[in-house]
Amino acid sequence: MSKYFEEPACKDCKNAFSTAFKKLTASQLEYLANNKLCSQIKKGKTLYEEGNRITGIYCINTGILKVYKTGIEGKEQIIKFAKPGEIIGYRSVINGEAACTSVKALEDSTVCFINTQDLYKLLKENSELGIELLQIACKELGEANSYLTDIAQKSVKERLAEILMRLQEEFGTNKEGIINLILTREELANIIGTATESVIRLLSEFKNEGIIDLQARKIKILNIQKLKKISNIF
Amino acid sequence: MSKYFEEPACKDCKNAFSTAFKKLTASQLEYLANNKLCSQIKKGKTLYEEGNRITGIYCINTGILKVYKTGIEGKEQIIKFAKPGEIIGYRSVINGEAACTSVKALEDSTVCFINTQDLYKLLKENSELGIELLQIACKELGEANSYLTDIAQKSVKERLAEILMRLQEEFGTNKEGIINLILTREELANIIGTATESVIRLLSEFKNEGIIDLQARKIKILNIQKLKKISNIF
DNA sequence: CGCACCGTTGATTAAACTCAACCTATGTGG
DNA sequence: CCACATAGGTTGAGTTTAATCAACGGTGCG
C-alpha cells in the first residue's frame, strides 16, 4: 500500500473525469477536487486486495492496472484492466462489501481516491451521477456476460485470438504496430483462463502462420482477418 | 410475444416492488402503477430475444424465467434466472443498446413492463432509485465476476456441485426436500457450460455416491457437506 | 555470481466433448 | 385407438483438447 499525498496532477483531472463525473456541476467538481486524495502506485505494487475493506473508489489518472480475482490454488483470473478515466472499487463501495478483486499496477500509475461519504453525498445531490455510474456498471455487466459465454463455449485458441484483438482495440498500437499493453504469458493465460504453456504454444502457432509477430512480450497483429476467423466472431 | 392487458394482480405489486422500487415516494409508486403494463408469459414462451430493441424494463411478478445468451451454433449459455421482485432488461435500457440476452419463461409467469421514458423520469426525480438500480447492477456484476472465475478455473464436476447448492439456496426446497426449480439436463449443462452428457454422467455419479437423489428432473440434495467439498468452496 | 522469474519444448495424462445408438414418455393426427 | 413423431434421458466408445509434469535456456538484478 502506498501513502497518499497532494498531487498537482489533479488540475487536469477534467480529462480523467470525463467518464463518470462529467455530469457534475462546477461546484460539485470543485468539492470533489478538494476532497480527493491522489497517490502513486509503482509498477507491480498492489492498490488493494480481495477481501479487504475499501473506503472509497479510485479513479485512474495515469497508468494501467489489472483487476483480478484469486481462484483455486492462488491462480489469478484477470477480470479487466483499468485505464485512465476509469473508476474501480465502486462495486464494493456501493454494495458495502469487502473488495471481491485485487488490483495491481502494470505500469507506474497515479490514482485519485474518493471516499464513500463524499461519493454518496454527490450521488444524493446529483441523480445524473447515479445514472452515469449505472451506465458504467451496466456496460461492465454486459461485457462480463459475453465473456462468460465465451469462456464457457469457446476453445482456448478461439479465446486467445479474440483477446489479442480486444487488447489491440482497447489499448491501441504504437507506431510500430505493437499493442500498447505488455503482459507476461502467464497474465495472458490468466485472462483467457488457461495454462501458461497453452498460451505459449498457441502464440508461436499464430506466429508461424504469419498471423502475429512476437518480440519477447511485444505483440503485433499482422493478419486481423485470420484472427477474426479463428476467434469465431462475426 | 404476448399482448399486454390490465391485470388486477398489480395491487399487490408492493411485494414485487420491494426490491428496486422500494425507495419511491407514494406518488411515484402510484405513477408507476398507473403507467406500467402487465402481461402473462406462458411456460416456454419468449419474453424478448437477444438483438431486439426493448423499450423498457420488466419486473417479474410471478414465475421464473431464464436469461441466456446464444453462443456458438445456437448453444445457450444461461446467465441467470429471474424471480418475482427482480427486474430484467435494465442493462439494455440504461445503455441504449439492443438486448444482449434472451428471456424465456420456465413456468407460467406474469411480468410488469415499465417503459424507458417512465423509468428515466423516475430516475431523474429520485436519486435513490438510481442508487438502488446501481446496487442491483453491482450485485450482478460481482456474481458474474465470480462465476467467470469459476468457469475459467474449476472442473465441470466442481461447477455442477456448486450450481446444485446455488439453486437450492436461491429457490429453496419443497416439503420433500426437492429443489424448487425444474430444469432439463440440457439447461443444467447450459448453466455450467458443458455438454448434456457430462451433466447426466456426473448427476448419476452423485446419485450413486448418495449425495443427491434423482426422480426424473426433480433433484434433492442428500449430503450438502460432500457437495461443498466437491465444489471446492470454503 | 547466483538466484528468480519468465519463456519454451516435449512427453504424458486426464478431462471432457463428440458421435452414435437406443430408451422412455408424451403428445398428435389419422 | 394406434402409429408415429418429438423431446428428453442414458450409455458406451472413441477422440480431442488442454492440463500437468519435467527439464532447460535466457535475462536481469541485487
Side-chain angles (χ1 to χ4, degrees), chain B residues 144-210:
Chain B
N145 286 341
S146 42
Y147 205 45
L148 191 66
T149 307
D150 272 8
I151 288 204
Q153 299 196 0
K154 286 187 175 178
S155 68
V156 170
K157 189 173 182 173
E158 290 169 308
R159 280 180 270 153
L160 178 58
E162 184 176 341
I163 282 295
L164 292 178
M165 291 188 295
R166 272 184 32 188
L167 292 179
Q168 171 152 310
E169 200 182 317
E170 188 171 351
F171 295 98
T173 56
N174 66 11
K175 348 66 192 160
E176 289 126 35
I178 291 161
I179 295 175
N180 281 329
L181 180 68
I182 301 301
L183 297 172
T184 64
R185 304 294 193 247
E186 189 180 2
E187 283 166 335
L188 270 173
N190 291 344
I191 304 172
I192 67 182
T194 187
T196 309
E197 295 95 324
S198 299
V199 168
I200 289 169
R201 283 181 237 269
L202 287 169
L203 280 180
S204 64
E205 190 183 319
F206 288 170
K207 186 182 177 178
N208 289 339
E209 288 167 3

Side-chain angles (χ1 to χ4, degrees), chain A residues 2 12 18 32 34 42 52 56 62 72 84 98 115 120 122 127 129 133 135 172 186 192 214 217 220-221:
Chain A
S2 56
D12 57 321
S18 59
L32 194 56
N34 289 336
K42 286 278 171 202
N52 288 351
T62 63
I72 319 272
N115 78 45
Y120 267 96
L122 293 170
S127 65
L129 175 60
L133 286 186
Q135 283 175 348
E186 189 180 2
I192 68 182
L214 294 173
R217 290 178 197 166
K220 178 177 173 178
I221 294 179

Side-chain angles (χ1 to χ4, degrees), chain A residues 207-221:
Chain A
K207 185 182 179 180
N208 289 339
E209 289 168 1
I211 299 173
I212 61 171
D213 195 28
L214 294 173
Q215 301 156 44
R217 290 178 197 166
K218 294 177 195 155
I219 299 175
K220 178 177 173 178
I221 294 179

